[in-house]
Amino acid sequence: MADCIRVPLLLLLMCIFSCVHPNRADNNKLNANVENVPNPPGVPNVPAVNPAAADRSLGAGASLPRRRSTGWKLAEEAVCRDDLTRLCPKNSWNNNLSVLECLQDKKEETEISTECNHLLWNYKLNLTTDPKFESVAVEVCKSTIAEIKECAAEELGKGYLVSCLVDHRGNISDYQCNQYIHKMTSIIFSDFRLICGFTDKCRDDINSLSCGSISTGEKDIHSQGEVIACLEKGLVREAEQQPGAHVIKDECKKAIMRVAELSSDDFHLDRYLYFACRDDRERFCENTLAGEGRVYKCLFNHKFEEAMTERCREALTTRQKLIAQDYKVSYSLAKSCKSDLRKYRCSVDTNMPRAREARLSYLLLCLESAVHRGRVVSGECQGEMMDYRRMLMEDFSLSPEIVLHCRSEIEGHCSGLHRKGRTLHCLMRVGRGDMGAIDPNCQRALQTLIQEADPGADYRIDRALNEACESVIQTACKHIRSGDPMILSCLMEHLYTEKMVEDCERRLLELQYFIARDWKLDPILYKKCQGDASRLCHTHGWNETSEMMPPGAIFSCLYRHAYRSVEQGRRLSRDCKVEVQRILHQRALDVKLDPELQRRCMTDLGKWCSEKTEAGQELECLQDHLEDLVMDCRDVVGNLTELESEDIQIEALLMRACEPVIQAHCHEVADNQIDTGDLMECLVQNKHEKEMNEKCLVGVTHFQLVQIKDFRFSYKFKTACKEDVLKLCPNIKKKVDVVICLSTTVRNDTLQDVKEQRVSVKCRKQLRVEEVEMSEDIRLDPELYDSCQPDIKRLCPNVNYGNAQVIECLKENKRQLTQRCHQRIFKLQEVEMVDPELDYQLMRVCKHMIRRFCTESEGKNMLQCLKQNKNSELMDPKCKQMITKRQITQNTDYRLNPVLRKACKADIPKFCQSILNKATADTELEGQVISCLKLKYADQRLSPDCEDQIRVILQESALDYRLDPQLQIHCTQEISRLCPEEAAAQEQTGQVEECLKVNLLKIKQEGCKKEVLNMLKESKADIFVDPVLHTACALDIKHHCAAIPPGRGVKCRA
């Protein structure tokens, strides 16, 4: 009896294998020994077999009438003969499975008769449920079943064993068993009702979703694939939480995903996709071998081609969405990454195929984490990851979270842009805030997707960016290997340059916005700084996030530590600091690339800077309005500005604009790896060199204007004077106030001749630099600028601020200034006369003359030295003119002449107290005190030191009437009337004064007449103060009066 049973089983096995390797001998053997093989009825109108009933019986074929003949063949059945003749090659007719495979794989539009469909269905049902067929599996796969515990444990007689072997077909090494199961797989997957247990698990969901009938005969065999496709789409709708989505039972979900997984290696097994994409397969993937998921991957790569049919594209998208839910639905990915998943503990719970760990996103994050930590992931696995990361970036709909949370943004801003990642980039633009507000859940979904796809590691993953930036990469970044993470860095370096194109710029900023919000998405930064971040910023692993950590917080922590001094400790490693500086330089171009800045300053950006849309303008605007910002925003802008003061190269646009002047004058400090404020100081010092262009000048001046708001914004000043400020100027924040405080302290200590200055040497040195820089532009002295703004508009409307030109203009129009401005200018001049190095115009115009005549003079004596050399033949005319201007200023008030003030300290209150009593603070006395001292000089009542200083003044003013304020005030009209030619002469040699003396009787104004009489009196007192008379009588004085000291000239005359 056993032999009787064994013979047909072997014959059936031979029949199955003959379809794999058909030959004449096999066919002959088959025809001779096939009596007991189950076969469907020969009559076309056989009643349909219920699959459930078939499962419960020993086999549907047992209940059907059998035709006992010498080898039953499908090709001989009349109901299929026409279809077979029309559709299948003749050499396949002798093999039932070949016929079956031929007919069930025909195009959907090809009609196969209903009767033939039923015959095929019953034949397949018999094959998959008859216990004799199961026995063939036991015989052929004996060793394999022993190795697979799950299959060995299956109860025989229910058809479960074959299904189990199909489930584990990837682990079958035996050739005959593998071939047998391969053929059985194609039979089983041709109809969902043949898949073990599928109908029972999904019956209710099929009916609820109206996915089709579960009864035989109500649909043709080709439409049965649509039932599974319908369930898959229902599963996707549920995951995306679409309105009205049906909740599929868990056991059916598991069955759906398992079917998708089992059909992952051969696209023939996904019947719906197979028929939807047959033409596309021939069009795009004709030379791609079936098996191991190769056809799927080929079709995925062509999904957005114009020639791709819409039906195929939809079927591919559904399969991709299933892969996103469970990576095992991708055969190639699961196979290539199997060992790496196990190695890095990314393995999943096999009982929960849709668990969190099974999602494609978890796999990508887990393995990307290993790569970012420097672990070795196989090249084959990384290649598969690359494909699926690109897939996520190309089609936003593969992320259920984006479909769910970004629905309104897509409808409102991004509809019709589905292909090649355009919708995703549109959403990223919305996320940047360029197109209105975005739902926070949508923002989070976008951020999550960018982390999963990780385009920062390889720009090619982002197809939209890759296509937009191809020309820029070919020109600006051609020296970098394709796919290198530094390509993105290179593109950022060329942002807003001539090599950048608009579309690339837009795509780049859209992506960088999200990379900037997660420091791990810059792989170079992460590699160099993960140790520092863990040590200093308490970070988690690459694929772990903390809800408590706001976007950009880690990078903010890193850059705060990047600029710490050795004394402060807890500094970054050198490699990490280089990367942090690189990113700071790149992201400073756009405030939206600084998450902390954008978050804290959102309101202020809208309030003050809504019209500032050009690159870099928003940060400049915030700096300009620093005092007006809310505290949180002011703090973060202040911190960033403080960093800029130490490393001005963060200002990439400014650096590009200043390239010519840097190359000409500052290349040595620019080449330093560590910038400690030297570069900006150099740019300030060379603001007015010929290489300086308008953009650079504006940028440097803007930074100077920002620096005055807080002394911390001047790195070198802060470093040199921090302790002095804390000790001498506590609670003072504005730089200009700190400078005034410290310089006042220095001046007082100097005047009082204290033994030890309170301000340190290093601070005094830097203080001098700051004072000189501030004197160059009136805007750098806010109090002076605010006091004189109306006067500037009225008197100096077209004068440039640089080179102290506005200040000089105000000085020249001093008599016309408003009282408030006049007082501030007087104070400024008082400081400049005490310390001429702060007189920017004087030092600039006379720079070469100072080198020629005054190299050994102290700074405070610079003007005095220039005055003494004023009439030298080597004196530059422009410098001489500037010296005269300062002399005129000094003679308007004794307080503006420090030497005179010191020399006449006792004489002024003794002889001129009445004038002092009438004087008001910060207002010139118009030379009244000096005139008073002149009269006392004539009376020979002054102290020797004061007499010497008055004599110098008399001698100088005798040559140039403009140096006598009282004479100029009272005699202006008379000079114009009586001495126009003398006044017009460029060289002032006392001719105007001599003219007035000659025309004394013609002078009508009493005040003028009085001043001329005083001149005569002074010259009588001392011939040395009358240069014209002295020159005329020089030989006589030498012969007759050589022994008489100055001031006694009257005796000589007598």
Side-chain angles (χ1 to χ4, degrees), residues 319-575:
R319 186 155 194 94
Q320 287 177 320
K321 289 180 178 180
L322 294 179
I323 293 172
Q325 292 189 38
D326 189 339
Y327 76 91
K328 290 179 291 182
V329 177
S330 169
Y331 178 87
S332 57
L333 180 66
K335 180 183 177 184
S336 299
C337 296
K338 186 175 182 180
S339 61
D340 294 292
L341 289 170
R342 189 183 304 113
K343 183 178 181 181
Y344 298 114
R345 302 180 184 275
C346 307
S347 56
V348 301
D349 181 353
T350 54
N351 294 319
M352 297 182 65
R354 296 189 67 249
R356 180 176 74 93
E357 292 83 1
R359 296 195 58 161
L360 174 66
S361 59
Y362 182 81
L363 173 144
L364 292 175
L365 290 173
C366 182
L367 293 179
E368 284 165 11
S369 174
V371 172
H372 284 288
R373 293 198 309 270
R375 306 293 192 270
V376 177
V377 173
S378 69
E380 191 178 3
C381 179
Q382 288 203 48
E384 288 293 323
M385 290 168 60
M386 176 88 168
D387 290 339
Y388 284 97
R389 285 155 60 194
R390 185 186 292 115
M391 182 182 81
L392 290 174
M393 287 294 292
E394 281 191 358
D395 192 347
F396 78 94
S397 68
L398 304 185
S399 168
E401 292 80 10
I402 287 183
V403 173
L404 170 64
H405 297 302
C406 300
R407 193 169 289 133
S408 61
E409 284 78 7
I410 293 170
E411 292 173 358
H413 302 288
C414 307
S415 59
L417 300 172
H418 186 275
R419 300 180 180 181
K420 299 181 182 179
R422 295 192 187 103
T423 302
L424 182 60
H425 265 276
C426 175
L427 287 172
M428 290 158 71
R429 188 156 66 252
V430 176
R432 269 177 55 89
D434 294 345
M435 301 168 70
I438 187 172
D439 183 274
N441 290 325
C442 178
Q443 185 87 354
R444 280 192 290 272
L446 287 169
Q447 189 69 49
T448 300
L449 177 62
I450 299 300
Q451 187 179 24
E452 292 167 4
D454 194 19
D458 190 333
Y459 71 96
R460 296 172 298 180
I461 290 168
D462 189 341
R463 183 170 177 178
L465 174 74
N466 190 12
E467 292 181 356
C469 296
E470 186 176 3
S471 62
V472 184
I473 293 169
Q474 292 300 321
T475 54
C477 311
K478 60 184 177 182
H479 60 288
I480 303 175
R481 178 180 56 83
S482 180
D484 194 295
M486 284 304 293
I487 291 282
L488 276 182
S489 182
C490 173
L491 290 174
M492 286 298 293
E493 293 289 345
H494 288 87
L495 205 59
Y496 307 119
T497 65
E498 293 178 356
K499 292 183 179 179
M500 180 59 63
V501 296
E502 185 179 352
D503 197 28
C504 176
E505 177 183 300
R506 186 167 61 250
R507 295 279 184 261
L508 182 61
L509 288 175
E510 288 160 4
L511 177 61
Q512 285 289 346
Y513 176 86
F514 289 91
I515 291 178
R517 275 146 184 78
D518 188 344
W519 76 288
K520 297 171 291 188
L521 296 180
D522 187 309
I524 306 167
L525 175 70
Y526 184 77
K527 181 180 179 181
K528 301 291 187 181
C529 295
Q530 54 182 314
D532 298 85
S534 176
R535 176 170 54 91
L536 302 171
C537 310
H538 314 293
T539 57
H540 298 265
W542 194 91
N543 59 332
E544 298 174 17
T545 57
S546 170
E547 295 296 326
M548 302 299 291
M549 195 72 74
I554 301 300
F555 185 70
S556 295
C557 167
L558 288 173
Y559 80 58
R560 280 195 294 273
H561 287 86
Y563 293 90
R564 283 176 174 263
S565 63
V566 177
E567 294 77 13
Q568 289 172 309
R570 293 173 64 79
R571 304 171 75 206
L572 295 185
S573 63
R574 182 172 180 176
D575 286 348

Side-chain angles (χ1 to χ4, degrees), residues 134-329:
E134 189 173 71
S135 299
V136 176
V138 172
E139 186 68 27
V140 176
C141 298
K142 188 174 183 179
S143 61
T144 300
I145 294 171
E147 292 173 1
I148 303 174
K149 295 179 181 179
E150 293 88 341
C151 298
E154 291 288 0
E155 183 181 353
L156 299 179
K158 294 187 176 182
Y160 292 165
L161 175 61
V162 175
S163 180
C164 179
L165 289 171
V166 170
D167 279 9
H168 292 84
R169 67 189 187 282
N171 298 323
I172 298 176
S173 57
D174 182 82
Y175 177 76
Q176 289 186 329
C177 181
N178 192 47
Q179 293 297 311
Y180 166 73
I181 293 300
H182 176 77
K183 280 300 171 186
M184 279 309 302
T185 302
S186 66
I187 295 171
I188 291 173
F189 276 83
S190 68
D191 195 311
F192 76 95
R193 294 166 299 180
L194 300 176
I195 300 171
C196 181
F198 189 88
T199 302
D200 292 338
K201 293 174 182 176
C202 292
R203 184 188 305 273
D204 294 340
D205 296 295
I206 291 171
N207 291 328
S208 298
L209 291 167
S210 302
C211 288
S213 171
I214 60 171
S215 299
T216 310
E218 295 188 15
K219 289 199 172 193
D220 63 69
I221 60 163
H222 301 299
S223 65
Q224 295 305 320
E226 293 185 359
V227 176
I228 294 180
C230 174
L231 289 171
E232 290 174 344
K233 291 175 182 175
L235 191 61
V236 168
R237 284 196 297 273
E238 181 187 342
E240 294 173 354
Q241 298 182 31
Q242 293 184 16
H246 169 72
V247 179
I248 297 174
K249 291 187 298 184
D250 286 342
E251 62 177 3
C252 183
K253 288 178 184 176
K254 183 176 180 180
I256 295 168
M257 296 303 291
R258 187 61 177 152
V259 168
E261 179 186 342
L262 293 174
S263 61
S264 64
D265 64 335
D266 188 347
F267 97 116
H268 290 87
L269 303 183
D270 186 332
R271 305 305 292 170
Y272 179 78
L273 187 145
Y274 172 72
F275 288 115
C277 296
R278 281 193 66 165
D279 289 341
D280 299 283
R281 189 264 170 95
E282 292 173 8
R283 186 180 299 114
F284 297 112
C285 309
E286 182 181 5
N287 298 320
T288 303
L289 296 175
E292 298 191 349
R294 286 186 289 263
V295 176
Y296 285 126
K297 286 189 66 176
C298 175
L299 290 171
F300 288 160
N301 291 335
H302 291 89
K303 190 173 94 167
F304 289 119
E305 298 289 340
E306 294 294 333
M308 174 72 72
T309 61
E310 195 59 39
R311 188 176 177 210
C312 180
R313 185 179 291 119
E314 289 177 1
L316 291 170
T317 299
T318 298
R319 186 155 194 94
Q320 287 177 320
K321 289 180 178 180
L322 294 179
I323 293 172
Q325 292 189 38
D326 189 339
Y327 76 91
K328 290 179 291 182
V329 177

Side-chain angles (χ1 to χ4, degrees), residues 814-815 822 826 829 833 885-897 923-930 962-966 968-969:
K814 191 161 60 172
R815 296 182 188 279
H822 197 156
F826 180 80
Q829 289 179 317
M833 293 304 175
K885 283 185 180 181
R886 296 303 179 255
Q887 288 179 297
I888 293 171
T889 299
Q890 281 191 324
N891 290 348
T892 58
D893 195 303
Y894 76 98
R895 290 169 292 185
L896 300 179
N897 189 333
T923 304
E924 290 93 336
L925 297 173
E926 299 297 349
Q928 293 180 62
V929 170
I930 294 177
R962 295 172 299 175
L963 301 183
D964 189 334
Q966 287 294 312
Q968 196 169 13
I969 291 171

Side-chain angles (χ1 to χ4, degrees), residues 661-680:
V661 73
I662 290 174
Q663 290 300 320
H665 302 283
C666 309
H667 60 91
E668 290 183 1
V669 292
D671 292 340
N672 292 340
Q673 288 190 343
I674 301 175
D675 181 10
T676 53
D678 293 325
L679 182 54
M680 177 51 73

Side-chain angles (χ1 to χ4, degrees), residues 768-832:
R768 171 48 39 129
V769 174
E770 302 298 331
E771 289 176 321
V772 171
E773 286 183 5
M774 287 172 60
S775 67
E776 185 267 340
D777 191 325
I778 191 172
R779 292 171 297 180
L780 301 179
D781 187 339
E783 287 191 26
L784 175 61
Y785 183 57
D786 292 342
S787 300
C788 295
Q789 266 193 322
D791 303 86
I792 294 170
K793 291 177 181 177
R794 179 168 52 89
L795 300 170
C796 314
N798 300 315
V799 179
N800 291 327
Y801 285 100
N803 272 334
Q805 293 177 80
V806 169
I807 295 175
E808 197 64 26
C809 172
L810 293 174
K811 290 176 180 178
E812 291 172 356
N813 293 279
K814 191 161 60 172
R815 296 182 188 279
Q816 302 175 54
L817 299 180
T818 58
Q819 183 178 1
R820 185 181 174 207
C821 179
H822 197 156
Q823 290 175 344
R824 297 294 310 179
I825 289 294
F826 180 80
K827 276 189 175 181
L828 174 66
Q829 289 179 317
E830 193 173 4
V831 170
E832 289 177 348

Side-chain angles (χ1 to χ4, degrees), residues 77-96:
E77 294 296 327
V79 294
C80 289
R81 190 173 295 122
D82 291 342
D83 296 311
L84 188 66
T85 303
R86 182 165 45 89
L87 301 172
C88 300
K90 199 167 184 176
N91 60 8
S92 66
W93 292 4
N94 288 328
N95 187 287
N96 287 344

